[in-house]
Amino acid sequence: VVNYDYLKVQLKSVKKIEKVVANIDALEGLEPKKLATKLKAARKAYDKLEETEKPHVANYMKLIEYETAANM
């Protein structure tokens, strides 16, 4: 495999994206106190992504909706 290093970098990127997507999905149904903490963590994780990774977070609008509802 000639592009092994490239694939390793891409896999790392995919794992970061999957973690952010899972963090956002986990917000559903949380009580208000936990929601605020988890919402901040989800936003921080999203903001840490590279600009090229952010478009791959399929549930980003869900994060925006939670933030809007929580007035963040």
Side-chain angles (χ1 to χ4, degrees), residues 10-62:
Q10 294 306 310
L11 180 60
K12 185 177 177 182
S13 178
V14 167
K15 287 182 178 184
K16 288 185 342 186
I17 293 166
E18 287 176 338
K19 184 176 179 180
V20 171
V21 169
N23 286 346
I24 295 170
D25 284 341
L27 297 173
E28 190 169 337
L30 290 177
E31 62 183 59
K33 286 183 182 180
K34 287 185 179 182
L35 177 62
T37 302
K38 297 288 186 178
L39 188 54
K40 288 178 186 174
R43 167 51 73 180
K44 185 175 180 180
Y46 177 82
D47 289 345
K48 282 181 149 181
L49 292 176
E50 300 291 330
E51 290 302 317
T52 57
E53 296 168 334
K54 290 179 179 181
H56 300 288
V57 178
N59 59 353
Y60 176 68
M61 289 309 296
K62 190 188 264 189

